[in-house]
Every structure is written in C-alpha cells, then in structure tokens.
C-alpha cells in the first residue's frame, strides 16, 4: 500500500516565506525529502531524506511510501518548473496532495514593482534553452522571466542580448534577483551591456523588460515586405508551397542552401520561433540583403553563413530539414551529404530541366525514400491599358524526399 505523497511548495527559501499549511504538512509527514539548501526548513524532523541523485532518491521515496506519508519539499511553487511532473510519472498510483507556495517569480516581481500577467516564462535550469529562443521571447514580449542555471546564467542572457540583431539591447532593462527572500537578497537593475561582464548567483531569476515589444506580421510575409535587389527571390505563392512541403516542426533546424534574399529563411524563422534557420549564401549582394531582411524581421533564430555551401556544412548543427533553392553546381555533393542525416526532410527547387532530372535521379536512389514532386506555375495580374493582364512566371518544380531508407 502506498501512503500519501505530498508535494510542498516552500517558497523562495526563507522560513518566513513558507505557509503555515506547508509547515504543518512537513511536520506531520513520516518522511521529509529536502534539497541541501532546504534542510534548515526540516530541522528537528525525525526522518529527513536529503535530495541527491534523482534515481536513488526516488527509490528511497518508494520505500518510505510503503511505511507512511512522504513530504517532498520543492522550491517556489510546485506548479512552476518543479519536481511535480517527475514525481507524478514515478508514482502514478500514489495518493497525491500538492500545497502551493510563493514562487521566486512572485518575489522578484514584487521587489521590482512588476506584474507578471503577460510574462513569458523560460527556464535554463536543468533544461535545454537556446539563446535564439530567449531573444525571440524578449523581442516579442513586454516581460520575460528566466529561471537561470549553470549554463544559462544572467551573464549568458546579458551577453546574448548585448550581441542581438536590430538593437534589441537598447530597448531592454534587466532585473536580476539573487538569494530571493534570504537576508542577503540582492536585486540588480541595468542594461544588458552593463551587466554582461558580471557574475551572479547561478540560481538567480532574471526579468527582462522590453519597452517596445515587436509583433511579427500576421500570417506569412508578402513579397513587398522584403528588401530586394538583383538576386532572385522565391515569390510568395511558391514560398507558401515550399513551407508546406518542408513540413517544418516547431523546433526544426533548417538549412536554406542558396538563400538569396532570404525570403524562405525569413518565412521559416517566423513560423518556427523555437527552431533554427541557417541561411547559406555566397553572393555578396545577396548576403547584404539577407542581413537587411533578418534585421527587418528581427529574427534572432536566423543565422547567415557566407561562402560556398559544401565548405560551410561541417560548422553547422545537424539539420532536421533542408531546402536547396540554389546549389551553385554542387547539387550531387550536397544531396550526398544530406543523405547521411537519417530522417532529414529535403526539398529541392528545380527551375531548369537539367536540375529536375539530376535531382529526381538522386532522390529516387537507395539513400532516400518518399520522393514526391509538385510543379508550381503562377500567373499574376499586371496593368495593361485600362485593364489587367495575367502574366505567367516560369514554373518551379519542388522535389521532396526523406533521407535514409525505410
């Protein structure tokens, strides 16, 4: 028989932030489980289990639940980045009681005189978090809260902001809360560049205030939204089919080979703010347009790589998706390399019959599966005297396949 499992939110850490209900539940439990920094909160309890390696600790908790009630102390509130989900998965049949607590987010917002109704809440404490995801959240929201960890520290966040595109650093104020609720609590305010060289407590909480949050365009960007020049641009109608056929996931890692003005890169980065887009281009004028369009759309998850595609691939993260809009004569070698990324979705744009024939031959081979093709032929109106003429553009064939055999 399993006894009751109580998940107790103990607040930011100081004893006076622990609710009477939480204190009473801990006192009445047969076993209290606490992290080293919470041991003062269970001083005097007859049976204390110090939280160490999760697997070993949870095995001990299972033993204690056979004998009596177990209270697991979690910092802040159990509903906000706590052990609660892990405990529910490990003990699905145990009677569960959750006692809320004061979160460190509440404490810091109170100290800063701030509301957090519309805050975007991120955590880099024991969880993967990319700089681009943080920057996109800060760019688009009035307030972003970051629970820090060893890798994603306040310094890391400030350095990412200080080097962000589009002057984001100038619009953001940083509020760092250290040792919240303890006698040595410290709240520091400043601009990212001012705080980028400072060290803070690794378990700090950071508020990032953006005085001018940016709202991305609704839907997919139009052709007239882009800065354009002589390099060719994938037009809106074709671009929509490209995005549909790429089948991007929210956290996709896309290689856009031969990115040109960046219309596909921009549209993909807007569609997948938690993903990464790597735009590869070697033409100087196109590189300039790529940079201008990245800044125009404030895309922190779009990275531009200058040079021939094959020479750049070793420095890129493993792709989940790839769009080959222009190969610069390297099509066979590019597809050969992409075939090594099992499960990668690859889409090739073919305007000439030669490219179409070569791409189809390769993508029908044993290193690929699921080949499909669609041809897009678009006619758009243009003025002709007092009327309109439908003018057609060159058809584009899109060939899509998955790397690896079935």
């Amino acid at each position: 028989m399993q006894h009751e499992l109580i998940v107790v939110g103990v607040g930011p850490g100081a004893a006076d932030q622990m609710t009477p209900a939480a204190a009473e539940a801990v006192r009445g439990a047969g076993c209290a489980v606490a992290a080293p920094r919470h041991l003062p909160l269970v001083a005097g309890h007859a049976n204390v289990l110090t939280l160490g390696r999760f697997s070993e600790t949870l095995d001990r908790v299972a033993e204690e639940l056979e004998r009596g009630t177990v209270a697991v102390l979690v910092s802040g509130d159990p509903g906000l980045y706590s052990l609660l989900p892990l405990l529910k998965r490990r003990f699905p049949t145990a009677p569960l009681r959750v006692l809320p607590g004061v979160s460190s987010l509440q404490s810091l917002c109170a100290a800063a005189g701030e509301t957090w109704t519309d805050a975007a809440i991120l955590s880099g404490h024991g969880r993967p978090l990319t700089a681009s995801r943080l920057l996109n959240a800060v760019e688009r929201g009035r307030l972003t809260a970051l629970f820090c960890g060893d890798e994603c520290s306040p310094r890391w966040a400030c350095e990412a902001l200080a080097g962000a595109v589009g002057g984001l650093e100038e619009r953001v104020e940083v509020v760092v809360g250290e040792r919240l609720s303890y006698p040595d609590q410290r709240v520091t305010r400043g601009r990212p560049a001012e705080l980028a060289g400072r060290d803070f407590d690794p378990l700090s909480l950071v508020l990032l205030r953006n005085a001018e949050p940016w709202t991305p365009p609704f839907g997919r960007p139009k052709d007239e939204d882009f800065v354009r020049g002589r390099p060719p641009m994938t037009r809106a109608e074709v671009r929509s089919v490209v995005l549909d056929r790429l089948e991007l996931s929210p956290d996709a890692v896309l290689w856009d080979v031969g990115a040109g003005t960046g219309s596909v890169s921009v549209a993909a980065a807007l569609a997948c703010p938690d993903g990464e887009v790597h735009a590869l281009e070697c033409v100087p004028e196109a590189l300039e347009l790529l940079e201008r369009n990245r800044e125009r759309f404030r895309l922190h998850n779009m990275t531009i790589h200058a040079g021939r595609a094959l020479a750049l691939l070793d420095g890129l993260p493993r792709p989940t998706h790839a769009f080959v809009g222009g190969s610069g004569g390297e099509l066979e070698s590019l597809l050969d390399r992409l075939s090594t990324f099992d499960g990668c979705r690859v889409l090739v744009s073919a305007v000439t019959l030669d490219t179409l024939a070569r791409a189809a031959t390769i993508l029908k081979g044993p290193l690929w599966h699921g080949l499909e093709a669609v041809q897009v032929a678009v006619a758009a109106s243009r003025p002709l005297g007092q009327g309109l003429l439908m003018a057609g553009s060159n058809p584009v064939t899109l060939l899509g396949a998955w790397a690896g055999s079935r």
Side-chain angles (χ1 to χ4, degrees):
M1 170 186 172
Q2 283 187 319
H3 291 79
E4 187 178 38
L5 175 64
I6 312 173
V7 182
V8 184
V10 297
D16 62 359
Q17 297 291 298
M18 192 172 174
T19 67
E24 182 179 354
V26 172
R27 284 194 300 268
C31 175
V33 183
R37 68 190 184 98
H38 292 144
L39 291 177
L41 301 178
V42 293
H45 196 285
N47 184 13
V48 174
L49 176 60
T50 302
L51 182 63
R53 294 181 59 182
F54 286 155
S55 59
E56 296 174 1
T57 302
L58 295 182
D59 287 344
R60 290 284 307 280
V61 169
E63 297 172 3
E64 293 291 344
L65 281 172
E66 296 296 325
R67 292 190 282 267
T69 301
V70 176
V72 179
L73 281 65
V74 297
S75 60
D77 181 79
L80 190 60
Y81 291 118
S82 79
L83 290 176
L84 179 58
L86 176 62
L87 292 168
K88 289 173 66 176
R89 289 194 299 270
R90 180 64 171 79
F91 305 107
T93 61
L96 177 68
R97 179 155 52 111
V98 179
L99 296 179
V102 178
S103 72
S104 54
L105 177 56
Q106 290 173 288
S107 294
L108 182 55
C109 284
E114 183 62 85
T115 62
W116 52 287
T117 307
D118 56 347
I121 305 172
L122 303 175
S123 176
H125 179 53
R127 294 171 172 82
L129 178 66
T130 62
S132 62
R133 185 183 176 197
L134 171 68
L135 295 176
N136 274 341
V138 175
E139 183 75 75
R140 301 177 185 195
R142 182 192 69 84
L143 183 69
T144 303
L146 171 65
F147 287 84
C148 295
D150 291 334
E151 299 296 327
C152 302
S153 64
R155 170 183 280 209
W156 169 82
C158 289
E159 288 176 349
L161 283 160
V165 301
L168 178 60
E169 188 270 341
E170 298 171 3
R171 303 189 298 274
V172 173
E173 180 194 26
V174 181
V175 183
V176 182
E178 301 174 88
R179 302 280 298 169
L180 293 169
S181 81
Y182 290 99
D184 56 346
Q185 169 179 301
R186 184 171 65 170
V187 177
T188 306
R189 296 172 172 83
R191 294 292 179 185
E194 298 169 355
L195 305 182
R198 297 181 55 176
D199 289 320
F200 297 90
D201 189 286
L203 296 182
S204 297
L205 178 66
V206 175
L207 295 181
L208 302 160
R209 292 164 155 167
N210 184 355
E212 302 173 31
W214 180 69
T215 301
F218 179 76
R220 290 172 179 169
K222 302 178 177 62
D223 287 347
E224 55 267 29
D225 295 334
F226 291 90
V227 181
R228 297 173 60 184
R230 287 184 300 175
M233 182 180 79
T234 303
R235 297 299 184 92
E237 295 81 7
V238 177
R239 195 163 59 242
S240 290
V241 179
V242 167
L243 291 184
D244 290 340
R245 293 285 170 159
L246 275 172
E247 302 181 27
L248 296 170
S249 55
D251 58 351
V253 177
L254 171 67
W255 291 0
D256 183 4
V257 180
T261 60
S263 66
V264 170
S265 288
V266 166
L270 287 170
C272 306
D274 292 340
E276 298 178 32
V277 175
H278 296 269
L280 285 63
E281 182 56 65
C282 62
V283 178
E285 185 179 353
L287 287 165
E288 180 183 349
L289 292 172
L290 275 168
E291 184 58 46
R292 292 176 65 185
N293 282 315
R294 182 176 72 147
E295 292 198 9
R296 186 183 186 93
F297 289 92
R298 305 189 187 188
L299 294 171
H300 305 283
N301 59 332
M302 174 181 163
T303 305
I304 300 168
H305 304 271
R308 302 280 293 179
L310 279 178
L312 296 170
L313 301 188
D314 286 339
L316 301 180
R318 180 186 177 93
T320 60
H321 299 74
F323 174 60
V324 183
S327 62
E330 299 176 334
L331 181 62
E332 288 85 355
S333 297
L334 284 168
L335 292 180
D336 183 62
R337 186 66 174 276
L338 288 168
S339 70
T340 64
F341 301 112
D342 193 51
C344 180
R345 173 67 172 174
V346 175
L347 194 69
V348 178
S349 173
V351 177
T352 68
L353 292 176
D354 177 62
T355 301
L356 174 58
R358 287 188 291 134
T361 300
I362 295 169
L363 296 178
K364 285 191 298 184
L367 302 179
W368 301 88
H369 68 273
L371 173 64
E372 56 182 7
V374 59
Q375 189 172 80
V376 184
V378 177
S381 63
R382 64 176 177 84
L384 180 66
Q386 299 299 313
L388 292 175
L389 173 70
M390 296 302 293
S393 58
N394 292 327
V396 177
T397 304
L398 302 172
L399 300 97
W402 301 89
S405 57
R406 286 189 183 277

